[in-house]
Amino acid sequence: MDLLKAMGFGALISGCVALVIGTQGSSGGQLVIQSFEVADFKVYWSWPVFLACTGLFWGLLLLQR
C-alpha cells in the first residue's frame, strides 16, 4: 500500500517539475522531459523524475512506520 501512495506522490511531483521545465522549452538534460498531446492539451512527463520521486517517497513512507 505504501508503494501505491508513493507512486501518487511521485506522479504529482514529476508532473509539476516537468510542467515547469517543459514549458520553458527545455528537455531538462538528464531529466528527459517529453511532451505529448492529449485531447488538445500538451502534457509534459519525465520517467526518471517519476522513478526518483517514487523511490524517495516510498523510503519516507517506510520510515514513518
Side-chain angles (χ1 to χ4, degrees):
M1 190 64 180
D2 285 337
L3 180 59
L4 291 176
K5 289 180 191 177
M7 289 173 73
F9 288 132
L12 178 69
I13 299 300
S14 177
C16 291
V17 168
L19 178 69
V20 169
I21 295 174
T23 55
Q24 300 300 316
S26 176
S27 66
Q30 292 182 348
L31 299 180
V32 191
I33 295 173
Q34 303 169 353
S35 66
F36 55 93
E37 301 267 336
V38 176
D40 298 334
F41 293 104
K42 192 177 258 190
V43 178
Y44 295 95
W45 187 252
S46 173
W47 283 108
V49 174
F50 171 72
L51 294 175
C53 289
T54 299
L56 173 70
F57 284 113
W58 192 22
L60 289 174
L61 288 171
L62 289 176
L63 283 173
Q64 290 181 353
R65 282 186 163 190

